[in-house]
Amino acid sequence: TKKEIDALANHKELHDYTEAQVENLRALSKEIGVKLKSPMTFEEADKGHSNLSQDRSNCATCVIVHELRLRGLDITAKAHNIKSKATNTISENTKSAWMTAKGKEPEFTAKLKGSDKEIAQKIEKITKPLGSRYHIGWDYSDEGGHIITAVRTKEGLIFYDPQRNEYLSLQEITQDMDKGTSLEILRVDRLLVRTSLIKDVAESAM
């Protein structure tokens, strides 16, 4: 953890958002009723702020909230609500909360299989842009899975779980994966969010 904290302390977040992203954030801030502030550093955005309820079933929402906190919205994820259409939609398909500049659902940046070494080599190649941020998901059983966030720093790729407020190693992730399944990677720092979904699963962190 000290290695990750030291790397993030010297890390400059990628905050050069497009005009479309800024307008998207403004629209979401109005929907949720949270004032849009200056972008946060990783340190300001983490420390469990993405999941103040400490729920253990809302990982799909927590990673989205963490990214939006970095963009300047002081919000937190609501606890998982099985009666919520938005909650179920995002849980079943995490990409559904995101869209490209053309309004389409994004494709995964990659789906990786293989040995730990092979996955490590592949993930290094596809996450090279400094400051780029990703959501990384995997299945650990027939009925369960998990998703976290990752950011590329000068010292390497940092894996952070905003739901549990923990840092992970790639080895811990691959050991948790169900055999034969893929590590799904989605670059998110260039995407827009679907406000119609996010407004129902996030709220002010104040």
Side-chain angles (χ1 to χ4, degrees):
T1 301
K2 185 179 184 303
K3 178 183 176 182
E4 282 79 8
I5 292 174
D6 289 345
L8 290 169
N10 300 314
H11 174 63
K12 185 178 180 180
E13 289 297 335
L14 190 63
H15 285 318
D16 54 336
Y17 301 117
T18 65
E19 184 176 336
Q21 284 180 300
V22 174
E23 287 302 316
N24 182 238
L25 278 173
R26 287 174 179 164
L28 181 59
S29 71
K30 290 180 180 179
E31 288 281 1
I32 301 179
V34 176
K35 185 179 179 180
L36 180 61
K37 300 179 181 179
S38 299
M40 297 184 189
T41 64
F42 204 97
E43 185 177 13
E44 291 170 332
D46 70 355
K47 293 183 172 60
H49 288 104
S50 296
N51 188 24
L52 293 178
S53 70
Q54 298 186 4
D55 187 70
R56 287 295 179 264
S57 302
N58 63 348
C59 59
T61 303
C62 289
V63 291
I64 300 166
V65 165
H66 178 75
E67 173 63 25
L68 294 175
R69 288 183 60 79
L70 288 168
R71 298 185 190 189
L73 281 179
D74 192 5
I75 57 177
T76 190
K78 293 181 181 179
H80 186 86
N81 180 5
I82 59 174
K83 295 181 179 180
S84 166
K85 182 178 180 181
T87 295
N88 292 327
T89 297
I90 295 172
S91 295
E92 293 170 6
N93 176 19
T94 56
K95 295 193 288 91
S96 65
W98 297 100
M99 60 183 179
T100 65
K102 295 182 178 180
K104 296 183 178 181
E105 184 176 303
E107 297 293 331
F108 281 116
T109 305
K111 288 187 175 184
L112 306 182
K113 285 185 177 181
S115 65
D116 286 6
K117 183 178 180 180
E118 289 171 332
I119 290 177
Q121 291 174 336
K122 292 174 183 176
I123 204 169
E124 281 296 314
K125 288 182 179 179
I126 63 175
T127 62
K128 282 188 174 181
L130 185 62
S132 56
R133 299 189 293 269
Y134 305 83
H135 287 173
I136 298 179
W138 64 94
D139 293 329
Y140 53 72
S141 70
D142 292 338
E143 299 179 355
H146 198 49
I147 187 167
I148 63 170
T149 189
V151 58
R152 171 60 66 180
T153 71
K154 291 181 180 180
E155 285 75 18
L157 191 64
I158 305 298
F159 300 96
Y160 175 67
D161 184 344
Q163 182 194 50
R164 301 170 183 171
N165 190 29
E166 296 175 349
Y167 290 95
L168 300 170
S169 67
L170 181 58
Q171 184 178 28
E172 287 175 308
I173 295 170
T174 54
Q175 288 178 346
D176 195 44
M177 287 173 60
D178 195 16
K179 290 184 178 180
T181 60
S182 301
L183 193 66
E184 297 177 335
I185 303 173
L186 176 69
R187 182 172 177 179
V188 297
D189 58 275
R190 289 291 174 243
L191 298 176
L192 309 177
V193 293
R194 297 193 184 278
T195 58
S196 59
L197 288 177
I198 306 305
K199 68 178 183 179
D200 292 329
V201 298
E203 60 188 357
S204 172
M206 298 296 289

